[in-house]
Amino acid sequence: MKKSVLDLTEEEAIAELAFLAKRISELDIAYHRDDAPLVSDAEYDKLKHRNEAIEERFPTLIRQDSPSLRVGAQVAAEFQKITHTVPMLSLSDIFSEEDVYAFVEKIHRFLGIPDSEDIEIVAEPKIDGLSFSAVYENGKLMTGATRGDGSIGEDITANLKTIRQIPLSLHQNEDLFDVPPQKIDIRGEVYMSKPDFFELNQIQAEKNKKIFANPRNAAAGSLRQLDASVTAQRRLSVFAYACGEVNPITWKTHYEFLEQLKKWGFPVNPEIRVCHNTQEMIRFFNELTEKRSSLPYDIDGVVYKVNDLSLQKRLGFIARSPRWAIAHKFPAEQAVTRLNTIRIQVGRTGALTPVADLEPINVGGVIVKHATLHNADEISRKDIREQDMVVVQRAGDVIPQIVRVLTDKRPIDSYAYEFPQVCPVCGSRAVREGEDAVTFCTGGLYCPAQQIEALKHFVSKDALDIDGLGDRNIELLFEKGWVKNTIDLLNLQKNHELELIGLTGWGLKSANNLFDAINKVKSGVSLDRFIYAIGIREVGEATARLLAHNYISWSNFQSAMCSDSALEQLLHIEGIGPIMAQYIVDFFQEEHNCQLLNQLSRQINITDYVAPIKKETPLSGKSIVFTGTLETMTRAEAKAKAQSAGAKVVSAVSAKTDYVVVGVNAGSKQTEAEKLNIKQISEKEFNQMLDV
Ligand code: IVH
C-alpha cells in the first residue's frame, strides 16, 4: 500500500517523482513506439495522477522531464526564435530512375571510388510532415524548434513536450557505459497519422471548426499553436531520422545512429533499408510506391543517404543541400476537373498572370481550386479554354498546374481564349516587351492592383516584416482609402487611429499591435531589407544585399542612384547585369518613387549594412589552380573544399593566380606557374590551409 501524498517527506517525494518520470516514460514508449502497452489505461492514469498530486504538494520539486509538462505551457504572443547551431538543410529532389543512377555515379566520382566498389546507401521513406529539432543536454530535452528558414526556427519546446513519442529524457540502458552524449540535436518529422487525421476532422466538423485539407496541414496547424494545450489535445506522432550538433559522436554510420535513436526511445521508421547498389535503391522505391497507400501515414518519396559518416563528411554540401543525400519524389498527383474561368492577376511589377479558376477537386489529398497558367503563350500552346475539362497536377508544395486539355470533352460552342490587351484592373494598355513572354500593365503605381501588391510586398516577412497585416487587411485599408501607399501606412496611427479601432474585425488590441509593429520598423530597418522592401523590379533579397554591401548606407545608395553615373556604377558590381541595372536606374528616375523614398527615409531609421562575419581562412579571396593528381581526395572534392574556404578555383594559370596546388604528375600548369613566378603548394600544405 502506497503512502498518502500528504504523509510523504521531501526525500521520499524526490525519489518517487524520479521513479514516476522514468516509469511513465517507459510506458509511453511501449504504448506509442512499440504499440505494446505494458499496463492498462487505468493503471497508467493512476500513475499520472499520483505524479500530479505529489507535484502539487511539492511544486519546487517538479522535474524538467516531468510527465505533467506534456500538457503544455501558458500562451505567449508569438514564438521565440531559436538559432540552429547546425543549419537544418533541405534536400534536392529527383524524379526518375536515371536521376538515381546519376546521384550514385556523382558520389563515386566525387570520392574517387570506382563504380565497381559499392557504397552503402540508406533508403528511408520521406515522411510528409514538418521537421523538428529537439536539443538534449546530458540526456534531458532542453529545447524544441521548427526548421524555420533553416538557420532560425521557432521555439516550440512546450508543444514538442506534449507529444508522447518524444522522450523527455533519452532512455538509458542499465549498462553504465551507455551514457547519452553531453549534447545532441535530434531531428525528425512530426506528422499526423491518417486515422488520427480523419478522427480530428470529424471532431472539428462536429464543433463547426476548421476542417484540415490533409494530414500535413493538420500536423502543422496542431504543432504551431501558441497555446500548447491545444497541441496536447491533438494526436501527433514523430519519426526521428537525423541529427544536428552532437558531442561526442559515438557511431560511424547513419544506420548505427538510427539504431541508437531507437534505444533512446525515439520512434524510427520501420521501412528503412540499407542498399548496396542502385538496383537495390530502385527496388526499394518501387516496393514503397506499392505500399504507399496502405501505410498509416503520408509519405511523398524516398530519401537516400550515404551510410558511412566519414564519406558524408567528405561529400559535404552544395548551398543548402547535402551532396550525400537526395529525395526521390513520387510522381505528381493528377486529377480531372472543369476549368470554369480564366482570371488575370496583376502583380507588384504589373505582370499579368492568368489563373485558372477550377471546379474544386481533390488532388492527392488537397482540394485544388486554382491553377497557374503562367502566360499568354502557355495558354495558346496548350490551347486552354474556359469550360474545358483539364488534367490538373500537383507536386509537393508547388502551385497546381494544368497538364493538358481533354479536347474530346470540349463543349461545341467553345472558343479560343484571347489574352486581354488592357489591364483588367486599371484599363491601361497591356504590352509585351521584346522576347518576354510576360504581358505588363503600363499603369505603374497608378494601377490600384500594383499599389496593393507593392504594399503587400513592403510589409512581407522578408521585407519589413510588419506583423498583423495580412493580404485581406491591406486590401481593406486600401479600399477604405486610408492606405494607398507605403507612406500612408507609416502615418496610419496619426491619421486613422480611431477609425481603425472601430472597424469590424479590429479593436484596440489588434490596432495597437499593428501600430507597435509599424513603430518597430520606424525605429530601425537594415539597409538590405529596406532596398528589398521598396520593390524595384527584379531586385530580390540577394541583389538587395549585394547593393547594400556595396553602398553601406542609404544616403550613399540614394545619391549614387540619382547621379548621372548610376548605370555605370551598377554595371561594375559583380552579380548585377545590364537589365537589372537599367530597372534600378529607371526606378530612381521616376519622380513619384523619389518623393516616396524621401518621405520613407525621413520616417524610418535605415541602419547601415553590416556584412555577416565570414570565417577568414588563408585561402579567402585567393585564386587557385590545381594541377596533377591529388592523393587524399578527388579534384571535385578539392575544388569544393577550396570554395567553401573562400577561394576561387580557376582552370588556367595567369598572373592573377595566387596558388598552384601541385599533385603527382603535374603538367604544363606547373611550368606556367614557374614562368610567372606563382607560389606553388603541395597537397599537404593545401590541406593545412583548409584546416583552420
Ligand atoms: S533527412 C540534411 N530524412 O524532407 C538532410 N528528411 O526536403 C536532412 N523529410 O526538411 C533531412 N522524411 O522535413 C530526411 N527520412 C527523412 C525525411 C526527411 C521527411 C523532410 C524533412 C526535410 C525535407 C527535405
Side-chain angles (χ1 to χ4, degrees):
M1 188 60 190
K2 275 241 151 71
K3 240 181 174 180
S4 150
V5 172
L6 291 174
D7 297 334
L8 288 179
T9 64
E10 195 163 313
E11 284 71 48
E12 284 168 337
I14 292 174
E16 197 170 342
L17 286 175
F19 162 78
L20 286 166
K22 188 158 179 268
R23 178 67 179 154
I24 293 172
S25 166
E26 272 167 19
L27 298 180
D28 279 343
I29 293 200
Y31 185 94
H32 293 284
R33 187 194 65 185
D34 304 337
D35 273 337
L38 298 174
V39 294
S40 68
D41 285 359
E43 188 70 22
Y44 177 83
D45 288 342
K46 227 160 71 190
L47 293 174
K48 289 222 29 179
H49 290 149
R50 176 132 181 124
N51 186 65
E52 279 157 25
I54 302 176
E55 286 181 342
E56 205 174 311
R57 212 191 127 207
F58 299 99
T60 53
L61 300 185
I62 299 177
R63 297 167 58 92
Q64 212 169 15
D65 62 351
S66 163
S68 63
L69 297 179
R70 290 196 188 268
V71 293
Q74 81 255 54
V75 186
E78 62 176 21
F79 290 106
Q80 298 290 314
K81 301 278 183 264
I82 284 191
T83 303
H84 303 299
T85 48
V86 172
M88 289 181 81
L89 302 159
S90 54
L91 297 170
S92 310
D93 291 339
I94 54 171
F95 292 92
S96 67
E97 287 187 11
E98 291 83 74
D99 293 340
V100 183
Y101 278 100
F103 169 70
V104 174
E105 272 164 26
K106 214 164 153 192
I107 287 175
H108 275 90
R109 229 178 309 126
F110 191 95
L111 296 170
I113 296 176
D115 288 342
S116 54
E117 220 174 282
D118 287 343
I119 296 177
E120 279 183 357
I121 303 279
V122 179
E124 307 178 0
K126 186 168 187 302
I127 316 296
D128 198 6
L130 297 96
S131 42
F132 72 87
S133 130
V135 176
Y136 289 80
E137 279 176 19
N138 299 314
K140 300 266 175 293
L141 174 58
M142 304 305 284
T143 52
T146 60
R147 176 173 184 274
D149 64 2
S151 305
I152 299 174
E154 285 173 330
D155 183 344
I156 50 158
T157 312
N159 311 68
L160 274 193
K161 280 186 173 171
T162 70
I163 303 176
R164 297 272 185 86
Q165 289 186 334
I166 294 198
L168 298 174
S169 314
L170 297 179
H171 286 260
Q172 246 174 290
N173 293 335
E174 298 311 324
D175 181 352
L176 278 178
F177 295 102
D178 184 33
V179 253
Q182 186 264 323
K183 184 167 181 188
I184 181 162
D185 176 357
I186 295 177
R187 294 170 177 183
E189 204 81 352
V190 174
Y191 68 95
M192 191 176 281
S193 75
K194 294 180 195 170
D196 288 340
F197 163 72
F198 292 123
E199 204 180 310
L200 172 65
N201 265 353
Q202 217 162 23
I203 298 170
Q204 294 285 99
E206 280 159 18
K207 292 189 191 158
N208 247 338
K209 286 191 171 164
K210 181 190 157 110
I211 301 289
F212 294 101
N214 54 47
R216 187 181 185 281
N217 289 3
S222 304
L223 186 65
R224 290 190 65 256
Q225 285 282 344
L226 287 168
D227 180 354
S229 66
V230 178
T231 313
Q233 287 157 22
R234 306 275 171 82
R235 261 186 242 137
L236 291 171
S237 307
V238 299
F239 283 124
Y241 51 64
C243 64
E245 185 183 352
V246 44
N247 179 29
I249 192 162
T250 49
W251 48 93
K252 292 202 159 48
T253 65
H254 177 62
Y255 197 78
E256 267 177 56
F257 168 61
L258 295 176
E259 291 294 319
Q260 181 62 63
L261 280 172
K262 282 194 233 171
K263 286 189 201 145
W264 283 332
F266 263 102
V268 170
N269 191 282
E271 310 294 336
I272 296 175
R273 187 182 299 167
V274 180
C275 302
H276 301 89
N277 53 45
T278 319
Q279 288 85 333
E280 285 182 25
M281 292 160 71
I282 291 170
R283 194 178 320 133
F284 179 85
F285 180 85
N286 291 336
E287 284 173 19
L288 203 65
T289 308
E290 290 288 307
K291 256 196 187 168
R292 184 180 182 187
S293 59
S294 63
L295 292 174
Y297 44 84
D298 275 346
I299 58 173
D300 58 351
V302 167
V303 182
Y304 303 120
K305 301 173 182 174
V306 169
N307 195 19
D308 185 328
L309 298 194
S310 63
L311 296 185
Q312 282 190 7
K313 188 157 180 257
R314 282 178 60 194
L315 284 156
F317 304 87
I318 330 170
R320 314 277 306 158
S321 342
R323 270 194 203 87
W324 47 263
I326 207 148
H328 186 179
K329 301 287 275 285
F330 291 133
E333 314 249 15
Q334 296 189 341
V336 173
T337 191
R338 181 180 310 283
L339 186 161
N340 289 331
T341 44
I342 295 178
R343 180 168 42 95
I344 303 290
Q345 262 180 358
V346 186
R348 174 167 61 86
T349 54
L352 303 189
T353 309
V355 177
D357 285 332
L358 308 167
E359 200 54 42
I361 175 91
N362 185 325
V363 190
V366 171
I367 306 294
V368 172
K369 296 180 189 152
H370 317 283
T372 174
L373 294 170
H374 302 289
N375 53 48
D377 289 352
E378 169 92 355
I379 298 180
S380 43
R381 188 170 53 246
K382 292 185 180 159
D383 188 18
I384 298 171
R385 306 177 181 192
E386 293 184 328
Q387 298 305 312
D388 270 345
M389 293 304 287
V390 292
V391 178
V392 185
Q393 171 171 300
R394 186 184 70 85
D397 284 340
V398 300
I399 307 169
Q401 302 193 321
I402 306 258
V403 185
R404 67 197 154 89
V405 172
L406 302 181
T407 35
D408 53 333
K409 296 217 164 61
R410 177 169 272 170
I412 34 170
D413 57 351
S414 122
Y415 48 88
Y417 179 75
E418 264 187 55
F419 205 85
Q421 315 239 321
V422 293
C423 168
V425 177
C426 72
S428 302
R429 263 183 328 114
V431 296
R432 277 176 74 159
E433 292 166 9
E435 302 283 287
D436 210 345
V438 185
T439 309
F440 283 93
C441 155
T442 52
L445 278 180
Y446 296 101
C447 172
Q450 291 186 52
Q451 290 173 18
I452 292 183
E453 292 308 314
L455 281 165
K456 287 181 187 167
H457 173 75
F458 190 69
V459 304
S460 64
K461 207 158 182 49
D462 298 323
L464 298 195
D465 192 16
I466 299 184
D467 253 359
L469 261 189
D471 288 1
R472 272 226 212 100
N473 280 324
I474 296 255
E475 282 156 23
L476 185 74
L477 296 178
F478 188 87
E479 279 157 23
K480 290 270 169 209
W482 301 341
V483 178
K484 290 275 183 204
N485 57 34
T486 47
I487 198 75
D488 289 345
L489 181 65
L490 299 189
N491 292 332
L492 183 64
Q493 186 169 18
K494 195 167 81 194
N495 297 334
H496 300 283
E497 180 168 8
L498 292 178
E499 290 154 288
L500 184 67
I501 292 169
L503 203 62
T504 333
W506 282 77
L508 192 62
K509 193 162 171 232
S510 40
N512 277 338
N513 283 345
L514 174 60
F515 299 144
D516 285 350
I518 295 173
N519 288 332
K520 193 171 139 204
V521 161
K522 287 186 188 171
S523 69
V525 164
S526 61
L527 178 63
D528 52 327
R529 267 183 187 261
F530 185 76
I531 296 177
Y532 174 66
I534 58 180
I536 307 168
R537 186 165 161 190
E538 296 290 325
V539 174
E541 284 171 88
T543 311
R545 227 172 293 132
L546 197 60
L547 291 167
H549 189 91
N550 267 271
Y551 290 97
I552 309 292
S553 76
W554 171 251
S555 59
N556 269 349
F557 179 55
Q558 192 185 26
S559 54
M561 291 306 101
C562 295
S563 73
D564 290 344
S565 65
L567 191 63
E568 203 189 317
Q569 288 191 36
L570 289 169
L571 290 174
H572 276 100
I573 301 177
E574 205 180 309
I576 297 198
I579 297 177
M580 172 107 68
Q582 193 58 53
Y583 286 147
I584 301 172
V585 171
D586 289 350
F587 184 88
F588 280 89
Q589 276 177 359
E590 181 76 52
E591 182 54 30
H592 175 85
N593 288 339
C594 292
Q595 277 177 17
L596 215 59
L597 290 177
N598 284 336
Q599 294 184 59
L600 288 176
S601 57
R602 240 176 276 137
Q603 288 214 39
I604 299 178
N605 169 25
I606 306 165
T607 56
D608 289 355
Y609 181 74
V610 184
I613 301 164
K614 271 202 201 148
K615 199 177 138 199
E616 280 291 316
T617 75
L619 290 171
S620 302
K622 302 286 188 226
S623 163
I624 71 172
V625 173
F626 291 100
T627 177
T629 312
L630 301 175
E631 285 172 326
T632 61
M633 60 187 106
T634 62
R635 188 64 79 75
E637 203 176 341
K639 190 174 164 188
K641 283 188 171 166
Q643 282 167 341
S644 48
K648 196 166 145 191
V649 180
V650 283
S651 49
V653 179
S654 77
K656 286 189 188 153
T657 310
D658 292 297
Y659 300 115
V660 174
V661 183
V662 185
V664 183
N665 294 332
S668 60
K669 288 184 203 167
Q670 188 180 18
T671 332
E672 193 63 25
E674 265 155 25
K675 226 191 319 173
L676 294 171
N677 213 1
I678 310 285
K679 187 162 170 55
Q680 299 179 31
I681 56 174
S682 67
E683 182 173 347
K684 194 169 160 206
E685 284 169 306
F686 170 66
N687 265 320
Q688 282 162 351
M689 288 167 120
L690 290 169
D691 233 12
V692 279

